[in-house]
């Protein structure tokens, strides 16, 4: 013979203070001034509720456990975060293809290109310096240049003891 075991369903309430289960025939119902009925599981819960203590400040309540992450780990699974993927974008003046081309260059090619660019910059600076020197020689120069440290103590008064 096949017997099915019938489970008895018990309607339980939650204590308004401690959030523990309150089974039928236990606890007490307290009606607030605004007409809101509260189920309180024990005289301890009622007493603390009437003293206006916060359940989250008392370690034995579920409110405190929730606030301090003491809940069962298996019931709450950690939310998985997706790692952001980097997307290469073009920079003003340089297209994406050029950036990729530079990135995929071999180290020898990169160093050769860098050396050529450096040489070109030095060449440009040399020309600029030569042009500056030529323009400086053109107009008459204003006599000999003063020495930097020659007037260091000239303006100071001698202080007698």
């Amino acid at each position: 013979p096949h017997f099915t075991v019938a489970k008895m369903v018990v309607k339980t309430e939650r204590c308004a203070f401690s959030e523990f289960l309150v089974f039928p025939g236990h606890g007490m119902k307290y009606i607030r001034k605004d007409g809101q009925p509260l189920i309180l599981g024990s005289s301890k819960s009622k007493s603390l509720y009437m003293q206006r203590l916060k359940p989250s400040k008392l370690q034995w309540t579920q409110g405190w456990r929730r606030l301090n992450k003491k809940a069962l780990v298996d019931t709450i699974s950690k939310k998985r975060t997706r790692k952001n993927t980097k997307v290469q974008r073009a920079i003003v003046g340089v297209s994406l293809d050029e950036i990729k081309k530079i990135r995929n260059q071999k180290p020898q090619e990169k160093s050769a290109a860098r050396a050529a660019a450096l040489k070109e910059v030095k060449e440009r600076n040399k020309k600029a310096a030569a042009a500056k020197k030529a323009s400086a020689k053109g107009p008459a120069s204003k006599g000999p240049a003063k020495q930097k440290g020659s007037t260091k103590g000239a303006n100071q008064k001698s202080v007698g003891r």
Side-chain angles (χ1 to χ4, degrees), residues 139-153:
S141 58
K142 298 178 181 176
K146 271 190 176 177
Q147 276 188 326
K148 257 189 180 176
S150 63
T151 60
K152 193 170 186 181

Side-chain angles (χ1 to χ4, degrees), residues 66-119:
R66 192 182 325 106
L67 216 63
N68 292 281
K69 296 183 173 60
K70 303 291 180 189
L72 292 173
V73 179
D74 15 311
T75 56
I76 304 161
S77 60
K78 195 174 182 183
K79 196 175 181 183
R80 289 190 179 191
T81 53
R82 279 200 347 223
K83 197 169 187 181
N84 292 345
T85 53
K86 283 191 176 179
V87 179
Q88 187 71 45
R89 294 200 302 182
I91 304 168
V92 178
V94 186
S95 69
L96 190 61
D97 298 329
E98 287 177 43
I99 292 171
K100 284 182 179 175
K101 197 191 306 174
I102 292 167
R103 183 172 276 168
N104 296 333
Q105 273 183 346
K106 289 188 174 87
Q108 295 93 352
E109 291 174 358
K110 268 188 185 177
S111 60
R114 197 176 289 123
L118 196 65
K119 201 177 217 179

Side-chain angles (χ1 to χ4, degrees), residues 14-159:
R14 288 264 175 195
C15 173
F17 188 80
S18 65
E19 297 175 41
F20 290 156
L21 289 175
V22 180
F23 289 90
H26 295 270
M28 58 202 84
K29 195 174 261 188
Y30 172 74
I31 314 291
R32 280 199 317 215
K33 281 182 182 174
D34 62 359
Q36 174 88 32
L38 300 175
I39 308 292
L40 296 163
S42 62
S43 56
K44 176 181 181 179
S45 293
K46 185 183 178 191
S47 171
L48 293 167
Y49 176 78
M50 298 306 241
Q51 292 173 51
R52 297 183 182 276
L53 289 178
K54 289 191 172 91
S56 56
K57 301 273 186 201
L58 301 168
Q59 282 193 345
W60 59 273
T61 61
Q62 291 299 317
W64 184 90
R65 290 183 66 78
R66 192 182 325 106
L67 216 63
N68 292 281
K69 296 183 173 60
K70 303 291 180 189
L72 292 173
V73 179
D74 15 311
T75 56
I76 304 161
S77 60
K78 195 174 182 183
K79 196 175 181 183
R80 289 190 179 191
T81 53
R82 279 200 347 223
K83 197 169 187 181
N84 292 345
T85 53
K86 283 191 176 179
V87 179
Q88 187 71 45
R89 294 200 302 182
I91 304 168
V92 178
V94 186
S95 69
L96 190 61
D97 298 329
E98 287 177 43
I99 292 171
K100 284 182 179 175
K101 197 191 306 174
I102 292 167
R103 183 172 276 168
N104 296 333
Q105 273 183 346
K106 289 188 174 87
Q108 295 93 352
E109 291 174 358
K110 268 188 185 177
S111 60
R114 197 176 289 123
L118 196 65
K119 201 177 217 179
E120 196 260 324
V121 168
K122 280 184 179 176
E123 208 62 35
R124 204 181 318 140
N125 288 346
K126 206 179 269 183
K127 281 181 184 175
K132 202 175 189 181
K133 204 177 253 186
S135 68
K137 274 190 178 175
S141 58
K142 298 178 181 176
K146 271 190 176 177
Q147 276 188 326
K148 257 189 180 176
S150 63
T151 60
K152 193 170 186 181
N155 295 340
Q156 292 180 349
K157 287 184 181 176
S158 58
V159 180

